[in-house]
Structure formats: C-alpha cells, structure tokens
Amino acid sequence: MQERLDKARRLEALGVDPFGARFDGAEPIAALRERCPDEPLEDPTAAPAGRGAGRVMRYRDHGKVVFLDIADRTGVIQVYLRKNDIGDDAFAIVQLLDLGDHLGVAGTVQKTRKGEVSLFAESVAFLGKAMLPIPEKWHGLRDVEMRYRRRYVDLFANPDVRDAFVKRTGVIRDIRAFLDARGFLEVETPMMHPIVGGAAARPFITHLNALDMPLYLRIAPELYLKRLLVGGLERVYEINRNFRNEGMSPRHNPEFTMLEVYEAYGDYHSMMDLTEALFVELFSRYCGDTKVTYQGMEIDVAGPFRRAKYHDLFEEAAGFGFYDREQVIAKAKALDVFDAEAPYEKIANEVFEELVEVNLVQPTFVYDYPKAICPLTKAKRDEPEVAERFELFVCKMEIANAFTELNDPVDQEARFAAQVATKDDEAPGEIDHDYVRALAHGMPPAGGLGVGIDRLIMLLNDAASIKDVILFPFMRRIDEVPGAVDAADAEDEGAEDADGPGGMSGAGEP
RNA sequence: GGGGGCGUAGCUCAGCGGUAGAGCAGUGGCCUUUUAAGCCAUUGGUCGAAGGUUCGAAUCCUUCCGCCCUCACCA
C-alpha cells in the first residue's frame, strides 16, 4: 500500500496523473484479438493498428522488454512492450506499473514468435493506479465470503463470474424480447405498497414521513398488474424485485427478481404454453438444444415438458388419494410434517412436497391444485375443489407458478376476508378493498404467470446458490475496520486521525 | 433457531501440544519474444475475538463473531 502510494507520487513526478483520464478509441479486446493476423508477419510494419485498454493482470519483466496481460470486459490480450519502441519516458511509466492498474495501449496487433496474440505497443497511457493487490493469479479469489462481499474483486479476478452475470443480463433481455414480440407491454408498478398482497410472505416494513404512514416493500406485484388488466392493457409484464422478510438459503435471497406476466382472455393452459415456449427457447440458446446438466442432474429440455395433474402425481407417489384423509394424515405423521393446527389441504400439500416435489427433476408442469391453497386462483367450473393453477418444477426447484386469475369480486372479497381472519402472520393484515373494486369494474378472464428469474438463471448457469446469480447478494453486515487506504492516509497525515475508527466513514453511523 | 464444517501472510493453502511455513503477490537486483517466464536476494502474521487447561496453545476446552452446508421456516 505504502509502496503503491509512493509509485503514484513517482508517476506524478513524471507528469502522469496516477488516476488517469479519458482514453478514446479503445477497441474491445475480443475485437482486437479477432483482427490479429494468423501467423507472425515477415514485415511487422504491415500489422493492423490496434488500441486497447484494460486492467493489468500479469506482468513479465525481461529488463528492456516487458510482457503484460491486460483484461477488459471482453477478454485478455498480451501487450508486448520494448523500450526501443515506446521510448525511455513511457518505459519509465511501464516500470512503475502494478498488477491491477489500468493501462491504455496503442500499437499493432500481431502474433509473437511463440504465436501469442499480442498488442505490440507503440505508446501507452497510464489510466489508473490500484492501491490494493489483485488476488493470486492462478487460483483467483476462492473464498466465497470475500467473493460475495467484494464482488468488485470477484468480477475482475474470476472471468467465469463476469461471464455468468453477462449471461444473466442476456437472459433477461431475451425474456423481454420474447414477451415484447408477443404483444406484452412491460410496465412498472409500485415497489412500496400500503397493503401487503399478491402472495403469502412476511414483508419488510418502512415508513413514509411525508404522509406519516406505514408502507411495505412489495412481496409481489400481482395485484397491481391485474389492475392494469382491468384498465385494458390486456397483456402486461414486469421484471423487478420482490422483497420477502423470510429465511435465507441457497435458493432464497431477501430481495429477488420476479417476472410476472398477465394475459387477458388467456388461462393457465395458455400460460403453460407460453412458459414452455420461453423455457425451450432459453435453454436452447444458453445451454443446449436437448440435454442440460444442472448440479449433476441431466434434464431433457427439448420440450414438450411433462404435464401432470397434482392429484395424479400425489396418488402415483403415495399410493392413495389426496382426500384419503386417514392415510394422508398417517403419512404426514410418518414424514414428520403433521401439524394439528393446519387445515387439511395444507397438511396434504406437505405430503405432496415430501413425496413428489423432491423427485421432480425433469421439467414438469404440475397442474390442477387443491383450491384451498390457492387464494387468488379461479376454480375449475366442473371441479369446484380444484384450482386452475400450475407450477413448473425443474431439477426439484419450483421455477414458475401460474393460474387462471380469479376475477369474481365477490368471491375475491370473501377469500381475502377468510385470509385476514386466519391471523396467520403471513396473511395480509387487511383486505385490499381497492383491488376488489377494480375487479368489480370487470377484469377480463386472464392467465397469470410468475417466474423466479434468479432460479431460472441458476439453472442456465448451473449455479448451486442464488448468491452466484445475484451481483450483490445479501450478507450480514460486518463492521469493517478502516480500510487500508484510510489507514495509510492516517499514517501519512500524522497524528490527527490517530483517534482511530471513530472519525472514519463506512463502519459507523448510517 | 437446531445440527455439521470452516476461519493461519494481500491471495491460494500446509502445519493440528514444543521457535509461524510454502507458492503466488510485494520489495531490491539480472535479463530486448515471455506467457503460472526464469535466476539471486528479501519484506510480510494479535494463527477470526475473548477466556480457560498446560511448563508450553495456531493446535485441546468454553463462549462469542463471520461464512458454508443441512434441517426448520418459506403457497
């Protein structure tokens, strides 16, 4: 650290700003590499000109020749620097380089005698000093805690990580394109809700000072999107964050990204078709046309996906029916999921989760759920105990949830009232009367779909943890001691800051 | 919250009762085609924290902190 500060001063003495400035005309390194002639040239002056910038990741000093590798967002390229080519002044700057610094290079693109694609430097521009060292060159940054807490290091030290997040963005862009092409309108609905709704989960609570009222970070956008169906937007979707104040796990982050889609005049079968088309397209684009491996599980993604009724799967796995109370309760007790307080359907659903869900490796649409566990879903006309709902499971993960939307305001109000009456701390505390009023204005029959985007990206990236697909996953706060930069400054400035962390930013008061 | 595991140099890791180690990174040299460059020399540690056991603790015990896995929770 101190040594790097000294180098920064020595750069200043050479008339170089240690934190650089604008550098125009740099090509992506991947593009430079593509333009490189296939073989070393007889006449090196014939090589194409090239200009690149990036972070110095390797440095091989040969005296009056230096090889270094610079990396940008697209790749890595070797830079070949000869004192004769760039001159004494520029070479003095090169000798002050540290791993992690940013450097701009202008020269020609050609292969070295050993065949390495290289940027043969004619001039260099110092673009920025790194005061802290980069991780070990061979292993990178492995410590998972550091990788999550200091993603900025993880991203430049581990190219796979950067690629995974670039892929994430690509997937989301493709989802938008897929829906846009089918006439769906992307919208933004409130993230702060006066009434919790659209799912069953504990919310984060906040407060709006201006109106002196409590607000909740949304647990789902559902009720607002369906208001838009009433408004006549007919086909809408939203991709954005939901917040749930619940347990964290490799598949749960307190804030997570959800896609919700609503299609007027559709139903859960139309959403099943839409979901299947989207997933088949994404799998084939990002993984492979037919087979995908996730965490050692090989799945067939060519489609069509298996479609199986909830009750059939239940019976197939259990050997008895969903409403065979005695056997179901006995099984629940045997599986240690029996809860004497819970309604029957909830207990039976626990049995379903234990017996069926944990085995759903191949992509499977499970449909026709018991109505009692689906408060926002329309019941089947000829089977009033069955809700028109499906969930898509892939590799034992619930990845999508969809249903034919309940659009009867009277029924909806009754179901809300029943929820509120349960006193379940995950049920809404009050009825959303405005939502009921919206339905009363006439919501078209519709299919609605929710897709956990983070989990989908996990599948596409073969990521074991949701933290591997979220740039800055939630981590418990740790009180940082003042960083190396502050400490060195304090040393430098003398005793003024010697009273320690109290005066430092970051670790103290919000 | 329960159970299990981990925490040693900037990074990746050995060491597991007897003087704190290696590689990489760093620092000083040599070298005008190397690529995990090489060669010589060298700096660097409250062994996560605090107690305890012991002649002696990175090592054994207790508590705490953080992370990972797992269970619970999570339509």
Side-chain angles (χ1 to χ4, degrees):
Chain A
M1 180 71 207
Q2 190 56 50
E3 280 148 357
R4 293 200 178 201
L5 282 170
D6 290 343
K7 283 187 184 174
R9 298 214 171 89
R10 283 153 72 189
L11 284 166
E12 279 175 327
L14 293 172
V16 175
D17 182 344
F19 295 100
R22 175 168 169 169
F23 183 75
D24 287 326
E27 264 184 87
I29 282 171
L32 287 174
R33 296 190 69 93
E34 279 192 16
R35 292 202 294 113
C36 184
D38 287 336
E39 297 299 330
L41 301 173
E42 296 287 324
D43 173 16
T45 60
R51 194 171 166 83
R55 186 189 290 274
V56 178
M57 298 303 287
R58 303 286 176 85
Y59 189 97
R60 296 179 289 280
D61 183 353
H62 288 251
K64 296 184 181 65
V65 168
V66 170
F67 296 90
L68 51 83
D69 295 350
I70 59 172
D72 74 0
R73 67 190 185 284
T74 67
V76 183
I77 193 168
Q78 172 169 276
V79 177
Y80 175 51
L81 295 133
R82 294 203 318 162
K83 194 173 185 181
N84 285 2
D85 294 338
I86 64 172
D88 292 355
D89 292 348
F91 203 74
I93 293 168
V94 169
Q95 287 178 313
L96 287 172
L97 284 172
D98 283 304
L99 298 183
D101 290 353
H102 288 276
L103 186 72
V105 179
T108 56
V109 187
Q110 30 183 321
K111 280 192 174 173
T112 59
R113 278 181 219 155
K114 296 283 176 66
E116 180 70 30
V117 174
S118 302
L119 191 49
F120 283 53
E122 287 163 2
S123 65
V124 296
F126 189 87
L127 299 180
K129 196 82 206 141
M131 292 295 174
L132 294 171
I134 66 173
E136 208 254 359
K137 63 182 176 185
W138 192 240
H139 299 95
L141 185 66
R142 289 278 185 79
D143 183 277
V144 290
E145 182 174 356
M146 284 304 173
R147 288 188 40 234
Y148 298 147
R149 287 192 190 276
R150 302 186 188 168
R151 186 72 89 185
Y152 40 89
V153 178
D154 191 26
L155 283 164
F156 73 70
N158 299 320
D160 292 356
V161 172
R162 182 196 62 213
D163 293 346
F165 285 105
V166 170
K167 188 162 153 183
R168 176 183 171 118
T169 297
V171 170
I172 291 173
R173 185 170 49 231
D174 289 344
I175 292 170
R176 288 196 163 103
F178 177 93
L179 292 168
D180 292 345
R182 286 163 177 74
F184 289 88
L185 181 73
E186 182 173 11
V187 295
E188 293 177 272
T189 65
M191 310 285 280
M192 298 193 294
H193 291 181
I195 299 173
V196 178
R202 289 182 192 83
F204 287 92
I205 303 170
T206 185
H207 186 265
L208 174 60
N209 289 338
L211 301 181
D212 189 26
M213 63 185 283
L215 284 174
Y216 306 93
L217 298 188
R218 74 178 185 192
I219 59 172
E222 170 148 356
L223 300 185
Y224 285 92
L225 290 167
K226 288 196 284 198
R227 282 172 169 97
L228 297 178
L229 295 183
V230 175
L233 296 187
E234 293 190 343
R235 291 180 171 220
V236 293
Y237 73 97
E238 180 163 9
I239 299 179
N240 219 320
R241 228 66 65 80
N242 287 348
F243 306 86
R244 295 187 184 178
N245 202 345
E246 290 176 343
M248 294 168 59
S249 83
R251 281 166 297 284
H252 300 266
N253 197 62
E255 53 179 308
F256 62 99
T257 300
M258 181 84 138
L259 163 69
E260 288 205 4
V261 185
Y262 292 88
E263 180 190 24
Y265 315 120
D267 68 1
Y268 71 139
H269 285 297
S270 70
M271 299 320 276
M272 222 181 287
D273 295 339
L274 186 79
T275 306
E276 187 174 273
L278 174 63
F279 274 57
V280 167
E281 182 175 315
L282 292 175
F283 276 120
S284 76
R285 183 166 307 159
Y286 289 97
C287 299
D289 285 340
T290 54
K291 300 281 187 194
V292 170
T293 300
Y294 175 73
Q295 301 295 296
M297 292 175 271
E298 189 176 90
I299 55 170
D300 186 342
V301 294
F305 299 157
R306 183 184 183 196
R307 301 184 180 199
K309 286 191 177 185
Y310 182 97
H311 286 88
D312 291 347
L313 287 172
F314 188 101
E315 197 158 340
E316 180 186 301
F320 48 83
F322 183 84
Y323 287 108
D324 188 337
R325 287 186 173 248
E326 265 180 43
Q327 296 209 61
V328 167
I329 286 171
K331 194 72 183 176
K333 285 176 175 166
L335 291 167
D336 201 25
V337 294
F338 181 74
D339 176 1
E341 308 279 301
Y344 174 76
E345 286 83 357
K346 196 160 180 185
I347 295 167
N349 188 54
E350 292 287 335
V351 173
F352 180 85
E353 288 178 8
E354 292 291 324
L355 294 182
V356 180
E357 286 190 4
V358 297
N359 293 319
L360 294 174
V361 173
Q362 294 303 322
T364 304
F365 288 108
V366 178
Y367 68 101
D368 285 358
Y369 274 67
K371 178 183 148 188
I373 58 173
C374 313
L376 296 163
T377 309
K378 185 178 269 190
K380 290 192 92 162
R381 185 178 279 245
D382 50 351
E383 294 178 70
E385 288 308 310
V386 172
E388 295 193 351
R389 172 186 180 184
F390 76 78
E391 292 193 356
L392 172 62
F393 289 86
V394 184
C395 296
K396 308 176 185 179
M397 276 198 293
E398 175 195 339
I399 202 104
N401 179 20
F403 32 86
T404 304
E405 301 299 334
L406 178 62
N407 62 346
D408 173 345
V410 176
D411 189 356
Q412 184 67 74
E413 183 161 35
R415 294 209 213 178
F416 275 161
Q419 270 188 309
V420 170
T422 61
K423 301 287 184 203
D424 183 337
D425 56 1
E426 289 188 357
E430 57 183 306
I431 297 177
D432 189 339
H433 292 292
D434 179 71
Y435 177 69
V436 175
R437 178 192 299 116
L439 294 190
H441 277 285
M443 185 177 99
L449 165 70
V451 177
I453 296 296
D454 308 289
R455 290 183 182 176
L456 171 59
I457 310 283
M458 285 170 69
L459 285 177
L460 298 175
N461 276 346
D462 194 14
S465 170
I466 198 169
K467 287 187 165 76
D468 294 320
V469 300
I470 293 175
L471 279 167
F472 298 99
F474 188 83
M475 301 288 278
R476 187 185 300 273
R477 168 180 166 164
I478 51 175
D479 288 330
E480 299 261 11
V481 295
V485 177
D486 296 340
D489 282 346
E491 269 175 34
D492 227 36
E493 311 290 336
E496 287 159 328
D497 289 332
D499 58 343
M504 299 300 173
S505 62
E509 292 292 304

